[in-house]
Amino acid sequence: MNEENIVEIKDLRKSFDKGKVTALNGIDLEIKKGEFVSITGPSGSGKSTLLNMIGALDRADEGSVHVAGYDLTLKNDLSEFRSREIGFIFQLHNLIPNLSVLENVEIPLFERNLSGEEMRERALKLLEYMGLSDKVNRKPTELSGGERQRVAIARALANEPSIILADEPTGSLDSKNGQLILEHLRELHEKEKVTLIMVTHDMNVASLANRTIEVLDGRIKT
Amino acid sequence: MSFISLIVKNPFRNKTRSILAIIGIAIGIATIVALGIVTDGLKSSTEDTLKAGGSDFTVMESNISDMLFSSIDEDYVDKIMETDGVEDAVGVLTAVQPIGDNPYFIIIGIDPAKLYLSEMEITSGSAFSSEDAKELVMGKVAAENLNKTVGDSLTLNNTDYKIVGIYQTGNLQQDGGVFMSLDNAQEIQGEEGKVTMIYVKIEKDANVEQITQSIEDKYGNDLTTVASLEDLQSVDQGLNVIDTASWAISLLAIVIGGVGVINTMIMSVYERTREIGVLKAVGWKNRRILSMILGESVVLTLFAGVVGIVMGVVAIQVILAMGMSGIIEPIYSLDVFLRGFLVALIVGLVGGFYPAYRASNLPPTEALRYE
Ligand SMILES: Nc1ncnc2c1ncn2[C@@H]1O[C@H](COP(=O)(O)OP(=O)(O)O)[C@@H](O)[C@H]1O
Ligand SMILES: [Mg+2]
């Protein structure tokens, strides 16, 4: 594996429903440490499946997937990998409704050996960074869509991941709030040097990245 | 936020469903606790009866199903007195008759010379003194219930007995009845020359086991000895029936409560499918998800445990207030409450395990795709 690459995928194949639906049909992909890559393509082409493979939410049928030094095709518990290396941002914020904004950001920290005070401090700092210091004790339902997505970004950053995986992060926001979220993501990439991989079907959004990959019928279009 | 406080918060997201589940389980726990309070009281008063007057063991008829049916020849009292190591023995005839509101009014016949062995405290009047006089002493509880006092009389089998004293022993069964001479009791019961039990007191340094063994060796065909409640349970089926029934009811409560918990927790996991997917995505181990759901289930049932214990105690108070105070002698032991909690804990763990296992094994991508 090339030292510079944080993601190395070779001939990755994945099908669902006992082979009836082929989602990924031989993907080869290399992503360098610190890169900002966007993945585009029509609906159902396999973008989310590819992102999930990188984040070890699912396993490959065939091929190899190496991410941040982990071989994800080895059959062991990958929760440790997800906790240490990956921060997910979804189209829907998926915040827990009965918990406060602060508590939602603390959720990923349970797998660390932190005291309650340390957890709180870390979450508060991230929320401050996302411009939400005045909303820490609110419930997610009391926030706007853009604010919720910023909480979700804070949550994704809680464990200081080396890679942020964002699946249509602006997909359910209006253009003004979408713009703000993209600003945050770009700032993260530029200032914190995190690797950012973002799925989007919006060409304007995709063009913010260093590189755009197009997926079509489970393959990367060249 | 601690993991525990997350677990405690979650069950109350859907308040209606959780409250319904808590009520369902609490009713089961209340039944167990109420039964425990009553049966403990029953056992303790039975034990008091066995050890009446500080006797060391009791002799009964062998091969009977209930101590109430015991009947032995009065002659055995003297024979047992002669046994090595025995200091004193007294034959007692116990009869039960419905009187007033009490269907289990107890009549105890005893040799007046040995009445002191019952350790009763005469609170007014005096003890009956002769074998033949139609006299009796009445327990404090019975006197209150029947509104009788010294000088009044009580009619038993068409004969008037003069109440010469009121006593107190602290045992509800005894305080709810009367003591009279053995001859009189035998006459009322039509059991001339018979006694129900013989209470035996042994000499200071004598060994209970040796003496009971020698009595059983000699008279084993007719007599059996009972030195403890456990001994009694091997002789007396009544207590066993009550024990078995309360176990069966407890088991039923556990099963019903368990099904309620499984149902509630499955619903809760189902509703939170996406959320569980997110927890996996942020790096939670399967084991943590399992403990969270299992913990929520236990929080629910322990809550039900508290509610159930309160309900059980209230139910007993209501039953007592409805006029059963002469029959039921509740014992509120820590043991009964711990049993209630233990059952709650078991129901929570057993009922929560399957939903928790399912949640922890959800494939994350499917959970996240769930609408
Ligand atoms: N868990 C799954 N079970 C069954 N089919 C799935 C699953 N995940 C994805 N698919 C199918 O795989 C294909 C690719 O899906 P996806 O990666 O979500 O596409 P995209 O994100 O590009 O819209 C689709 O046909 C989709 O229906
Ligand atoms: Mg998708």
Side-chain angles (χ1 to χ4, degrees):
Chain A
M1 179 162 171
N2 188 321
E3 274 295 298
E4 276 189 2
N5 290 340
I6 194 160
V7 176
E8 257 189 37
I9 296 175
K10 287 203 179 74
D11 195 31
L12 169 61
R13 287 165 200 276
K14 176 75 181 177
S15 60
F16 293 105
D17 295 335
K18 293 179 183 132
K20 277 187 233 136
V21 181
T22 303
L24 298 177
N25 193 12
I27 297 270
D28 292 291
L29 178 63
E30 291 182 1
I31 295 173
K32 290 193 174 59
K33 222 171 251 166
E35 232 187 328
F36 177 3
V37 174
S38 60
I39 302 176
T40 62
S43 181
S45 56
K47 306 182 295 295
S48 296
T49 305
L50 176 58
L51 207 68
N52 291 342
M53 291 293 169
I54 297 169
L57 285 181
D58 214 339
R59 287 181 189 281
D61 293 342
E62 277 176 59
S64 70
V65 182
H66 287 88
V67 180
Y70 289 77
D71 181 351
L72 303 188
T73 44
L74 290 177
K75 297 262 175 198
N76 47 22
D77 181 14
L78 291 167
S79 60
E80 170 89 12
F81 161 78
R82 290 197 290 266
S83 165
R84 296 205 174 270
E85 307 294 340
I86 304 293
F88 276 101
I89 301 165
F90 305 99
Q91 176 172 359
L92 295 168
H93 55 82
N94 288 327
L95 298 176
I96 300 176
N98 64 318
L99 299 184
S100 70
V101 161
L102 178 73
E103 289 165 339
N104 265 285
V105 178
E106 287 177 342
I107 283 285
L109 298 173
F110 279 116
E111 292 296 349
R112 293 286 102 82
N113 268 330
L114 297 179
S115 70
E117 194 47 44
E118 286 168 321
M119 277 170 83
R120 197 182 142 80
E121 268 170 29
R122 231 204 246 194
L124 280 173
K125 221 155 82 192
L126 289 164
L127 286 165
E128 188 189 341
Y129 182 66
M130 296 309 297
L132 290 166
S133 287
D134 53 335
K135 305 274 162 70
V136 294
N137 292 318
R138 300 279 183 85
K139 291 282 154 67
T141 45
E142 298 163 355
L143 303 184
S144 72
E147 285 168 336
R148 287 180 210 167
Q149 198 59 309
R150 272 145 67 198
V151 178
I153 296 176
R155 180 180 62 190
L157 297 174
N159 280 324
E160 296 167 343
S162 52
I163 307 177
I164 298 273
L165 301 177
D167 195 346
E168 315 250 14
T170 61
S172 55
L173 301 177
D174 58 48
S175 64
K176 188 171 145 277
N177 275 306
Q179 213 55 48
L180 198 65
I181 293 300
L182 290 171
E183 269 313 305
H184 276 293
L185 290 177
R186 198 160 65 168
E187 189 183 311
L188 262 176
H189 167 244
E190 276 166 13
K191 289 201 182 146
E192 316 292 331
K193 305 282 179 247
V194 289
T195 309
L196 179 57
I197 306 173
M198 179 171 69
V199 167
T200 178
H201 57 257
D202 183 331
M203 280 307 171
N204 288 328
V205 173
S207 65
L208 292 171
N210 310 135
R211 178 156 67 109
T212 299
I213 296 164
E214 204 182 336
V215 178
L216 204 64
D217 294 333
R219 288 170 179 277
I220 288 173
K221 200 176 155 195
T222 45
Chain B
M1 180 182 46
S2 68
F3 191 48
I4 300 286
S5 69
L6 176 69
I7 288 172
V8 174
K9 274 180 191 178
N10 276 338
F12 300 97
R13 283 163 74 163
N14 188 328
K15 289 203 179 61
T16 316
R17 189 175 59 210
S18 293
I19 288 169
L20 285 177
I22 285 171
I23 291 173
I25 301 155
I27 290 172
I29 306 277
T31 313
I32 292 170
V33 167
L35 272 173
I37 291 170
V38 173
T39 52
D40 278 6
L42 195 70
K43 279 189 189 170
S44 133
S45 65
T46 308
E47 199 155 29
D48 282 358
T49 309
L50 282 180
K51 301 275 173 144
S55 67
D56 296 294
F57 65 92
T58 307
V59 177
M60 290 183 206
E61 185 181 355
S62 59
N63 306 317
I64 45 160
S65 61
D66 191 293
M67 65 193 273
L68 281 175
F69 301 146
S70 169
S71 176
I72 40 189
D73 279 342
E74 206 179 332
D75 303 345
Y76 277 119
V77 179
D78 290 337
K79 288 183 185 153
I80 284 168
M81 277 282 262
E82 284 156 16
T83 308
D84 270 354
V86 170
E87 187 184 304
D88 205 350
V90 56
V92 161
L93 185 80
T94 321
V96 170
Q97 286 209 354
I99 291 192
D101 288 340
N102 188 347
Y104 305 109
F105 189 89
I106 199 160
I107 298 166
I108 300 164
I110 185 171
D111 177 353
K114 300 222 168 138
L115 189 56
Y116 72 93
L117 268 175
S118 71
E119 282 182 345
M120 64 167 56
E121 181 197 344
I122 302 282
T123 55
S124 67
S126 62
F128 56 91
S129 50
S130 89
E131 278 286 351
D132 309 319
K134 297 293 173 201
E135 292 176 346
L136 55 77
V137 288
M138 183 174 271
K140 205 171 146 251
V141 175
E144 275 164 23
N145 290 345
L146 299 171
N147 206 11
K148 300 272 189 195
T149 178
V150 175
D152 292 345
S153 62
L154 181 71
T155 310
L156 295 164
N157 278 12
N158 303 321
T159 308
D160 285 346
Y161 290 85
K162 187 165 175 246
I163 300 168
V164 294
I166 305 292
Y167 67 84
Q168 191 177 354
T169 62
N171 176 307
L172 183 73
Q173 271 182 2
Q174 291 179 5
D175 288 351
V178 295
F179 274 76
M180 56 171 57
S181 75
L182 185 57
D183 284 357
N184 279 335
Q186 285 171 340
E187 195 185 314
I188 288 172
Q189 197 66 4
E191 293 240 28
E192 266 82 19
K194 296 280 186 185
V195 293
T196 313
M197 284 181 272
I198 302 170
Y199 290 110
V200 184
K201 201 171 170 58
I202 61 172
E203 282 162 5
K204 238 194 179 125
D205 303 316
N207 178 321
V208 181
E209 271 169 45
Q210 259 172 24
I211 298 170
T212 53
Q213 194 56 53
S214 80
I215 291 174
E216 296 216 350
D217 287 348
K218 250 195 255 175
Y219 313 115
N221 283 339
D222 296 333
L223 306 182
T224 185
T225 58
V226 176
S228 67
L229 200 61
E230 287 74 41
D231 278 0
L232 181 65
Q233 284 186 297
S234 62
V235 177
D236 185 312
Q237 295 307 310
L239 275 180
N240 288 336
V241 168
I242 290 166
D243 258 0
T244 311
S246 76
W247 270 110
I249 292 169
S250 302
L251 201 66
L252 197 68
I254 291 173
V255 170
I256 293 171
V259 170
V261 174
I262 293 178
N263 190 46
T264 305
M265 293 314 294
I266 283 182
M267 293 275 283
S268 165
V269 165
Y270 185 71
E271 278 173 11
R272 291 192 282 160
T273 302
R274 274 188 86 87
E275 183 178 312
I276 289 160
V278 172
L279 294 176
K280 295 197 162 188
V282 301
W284 275 32
K285 289 191 164 51
N286 287 359
R287 197 166 358 112
R288 184 172 297 276
I289 292 168
L290 186 99
S291 350
M292 180 177 77
I293 305 292
L294 207 52
E296 290 175 19
S297 168
V298 169
V299 165
L300 212 60
T301 57
L302 285 185
F303 218 89
V306 175
V307 175
I309 285 169
V310 172
M311 276 165 65
V313 171
V314 169
I316 293 288
Q317 296 298 330
V318 168
I319 290 169
L320 291 179
M322 281 178 355
M324 302 282 277
S325 56
I327 301 159
I328 294 171
E329 180 179 31
I331 290 198
Y332 302 97
S333 67
L334 184 63
D335 188 58
V336 171
F337 299 134
L338 288 180
R339 220 183 306 162
F341 267 116
L342 189 70
V343 168
L345 184 70
I346 291 171
V347 168
L349 290 174
V350 171
F353 186 77
Y354 174 67
Y357 179 80
R358 255 187 39 165
S360 69
N361 279 291
L362 271 174
T365 46
E366 270 168 47
L368 284 164
R369 275 163 63 92
Y370 180 82
E371 301 291 324

